[in-house]
Amino acid sequence: MAIFPKFSKTRDGVNIINEQRLLKQVNHLILDTQRCTGCGICSESCPEEAITVSMVGATKRNKGISYATPVNIDEVKCSYCGVCVVMCPFNSLTLKIDGEESLPIVEREGFPQYDMLAKIDEEKCVRCTVCEDVCPRDAIDRDVPAYEGSVEGGRERQTALTAKTTFEVDTDKCTVCGICGSLCPAITVKRKEFSAETGAVEGDVLWDEKLCDACKVCTEACPEEAITVTREVETKKLPGKVNIIEDDCCTCRWCAENCPTEAITVEKIFEGEIEFHAEKCPGGCSTCAEICPAHAIYLPSPAPAAEMKGEKEANIAVNKDLCILCGACVNACPGEDIIVLKRTGVRMKGKETDLFNKIKAKLFTPRTSRVKEGVAPGEVELKVLENA
């Protein structure tokens, strides 16, 4: 009986660790079940057919399920080449050789990689919160200070913009009445000692620029209209920077579609078409909408009865501008012929090897869901549409 190789599978939190132990090398293929969406691209890409799609809908909808994962990896059949790591659009797989992250298929054979295009034009970006709020994958790194409007104890709002404030007092009008000083911590009214010699109230109005937020309450409250406050904004942009975290970005374009200054450029990894046949969808399911990693699938708002004109109301739909054609919805759908996916292009960089071209042919094969009859427990079967 051979001592090596040895194989094992263990779970560490959200990670499933597949191990291949050789005489002089230890390989680990790690699946992050939290990041995995069940899209099945790894399964279609695996040259050893060591990966199968599991109960996508159940595992992604019910976070409490610990006995199943969106995909299953056969640690014995796996060659630990790294193709699945390269092809996973959600970076849910990691290959380690002797404890170090490695991709032999890229390093030795020049396997191509995704050509990611996701960037923010710093000149156009105004550091708003829209992209961070709409991103379904938490892929926006908004490194901007927190201000008092968003968090308790945040920076004072007047420090957000770079500005020059000037404060002037018309001494001919000012009576040193003290109203401005009693209202504002930035103003101190310093009177001279009262003396019968002059029989008048005299003094100075002192101003601390660091404490002034240019609110102009002093100018409005001054009974003699002796105060003038001007504020010249030197830059209208908040300090900081906003970036897209490429490892987390799924290229859904939520951010690009909604950026108010059109500062974001994102190109989808896959090109193609997806069709939803709502008339075949059983109402009340919503599995595809709940597990969609791009939040592109939705339950249409009910139309007013007067506008329906006898038509059956759709109970499921997809926003094609946001769909990334990953295929998770097809794998999760419990019905048949409801969702049809057809990929026609993929953004890659590097030489397209023979192995990649075989994988691409699989990825470009149109497919839909099929009722799971006679399939091994915990596995998903797809219907291939060869002539579509």
Side-chain angles (χ1 to χ4, degrees):
M1 182 176 178
I3 300 177
F4 294 98
K6 291 182 178 180
F7 302 94
S8 67
K9 184 190 293 284
T10 57
R11 185 168 193 133
D12 181 12
V14 299
N15 293 328
I16 302 296
I17 304 171
N18 302 276
E19 180 180 276
Q20 180 195 58
R21 187 172 290 273
L22 305 175
L23 181 61
K24 295 184 178 181
Q25 181 176 300
V26 179
N27 302 321
H28 290 112
L29 180 60
I30 305 167
L31 170 68
D32 185 331
T33 59
Q34 190 168 302
R35 293 178 70 98
C36 177
T37 65
C39 69
I41 290 175
C42 59
S43 176
E44 295 174 273
S45 302
C46 180
E48 307 298 333
E49 298 184 352
I51 305 177
T52 54
V53 179
S54 182
M55 299 179 290
V56 178
T59 56
K60 299 309 293 183
R61 291 182 74 175
N62 189 341
K63 304 299 182 183
I65 291 181
S66 59
Y67 58 84
T69 56
V71 298
N72 291 321
I73 301 173
D74 186 326
E75 69 277 14
V76 177
K77 291 175 67 176
C78 177
S79 64
Y80 299 83
C81 64
V83 168
C84 58
V85 179
V86 175
M87 295 303 297
C88 177
F90 302 100
N91 288 293
S92 61
L93 288 160
T94 303
L95 177 64
K96 290 186 176 182
I97 298 178
D98 292 332
E100 300 292 331
E101 290 191 23
S102 182
L103 288 173
I105 194 70
V106 175
E107 298 158 4
R108 300 173 190 169
E109 301 180 36
F111 194 83
Q113 296 174 279
Y114 288 126
D115 185 12
M116 287 287 294
L117 178 56
K119 62 182 181 180
I120 298 177
D121 187 327
E122 191 174 351
E123 293 298 316
K124 291 182 179 180
C125 177
V126 294
R127 326 281 196 262
C128 72
T129 63
V130 172
C131 58
E132 182 183 39
D133 292 339
V134 301
C135 179
R137 305 297 296 176
D138 294 328
I140 302 296
D141 177 21
R142 185 174 179 270
D143 186 15
V144 177
Y147 292 93
E148 56 188 341
S150 58
V151 295
E152 186 176 353
R155 289 190 185 184
E156 295 180 345
R157 59 189 179 278
Q158 63 265 28
T159 65
L161 305 179
T162 303
K164 178 66 177 176
T165 303
T166 59
F167 176 89
E168 296 179 354
V169 177
D170 187 333
T171 55
D172 292 334
K173 292 182 178 180
C174 179
T175 62
V176 203
C177 67
I179 290 177
C180 57
S182 67
L183 295 174
C184 179
I187 300 174
T188 302
V189 177
K190 193 169 185 180
R191 295 193 182 104
K192 295 179 181 179
E193 186 176 347
F194 300 127
S195 171
E197 182 177 354
T198 61
V201 177
E202 299 176 324
D204 298 304
V205 177
L206 307 179
W207 173 69
D208 188 338
E209 183 178 1
K210 294 179 180 178
L211 298 176
C212 179
D213 63 1
C215 68
K216 296 189 178 181
V217 170
C218 59
T219 66
E220 295 167 356
C222 180
E224 304 299 327
E225 298 183 354
I227 300 175
T228 302
V229 174
T230 59
R231 185 169 186 258
E232 183 179 347
V233 178
E234 297 174 348
T235 173
K236 292 186 177 182
K237 287 187 178 181
L238 300 181
K241 193 172 183 179
V242 182
N243 290 308
I244 297 175
I245 306 170
E246 283 197 2
D247 284 349
D248 295 333
C249 177
C250 67
T251 69
C252 64
R253 288 183 50 78
W254 265 101
C255 58
E257 294 285 345
N258 290 281
C259 178
T261 59
E262 299 182 351
I264 303 177
T265 301
V266 175
E267 294 290 343
K268 293 185 181 181
I269 292 175
F270 290 105
E271 298 175 359
E273 279 293 326
I274 189 167
E275 298 293 339
F276 275 63
H277 297 283
E279 71 280 2
K280 299 178 181 180
C281 177
C285 173
S286 74
T287 297
C288 57
E290 293 185 38
I291 63 95
C292 176
H295 294 181
I297 303 172
Y298 61 97
L299 307 181
S301 301
E307 297 179 7
M308 295 183 65
K309 299 178 182 180
E311 299 176 359
K312 183 179 179 181
E313 192 173 31
N315 54 12
I316 197 72
V318 61
N319 185 326
K320 295 184 180 181
D321 290 334
L322 306 175
C323 175
I324 58 176
L325 305 174
C326 70
C329 56
V330 179
N331 294 336
C333 181
E336 188 162 344
D337 299 330
I338 298 172
I339 308 173
V340 178
L341 174 65
K342 303 175 184 178
R343 301 189 189 103
T344 58
V346 57
R347 288 179 59 90
M348 303 297 292
K349 59 183 179 182
K351 182 181 177 181
E352 297 192 0
T353 62
D354 290 341
L355 174 58
F356 173 76
N357 286 325
K358 291 179 181 178
I359 293 171
K360 184 166 69 171
K362 288 183 180 180
L363 294 174
F364 286 7
T365 302
R367 81 287 308 278
T368 185
S369 57
R370 170 180 285 169
V371 175
K372 290 87 178 166
E373 295 179 355
V375 182
E379 292 187 8
V380 167
E381 182 179 359
L382 298 179
K383 181 191 292 185
V384 175
L385 305 175
E386 296 286 0
N387 299 320

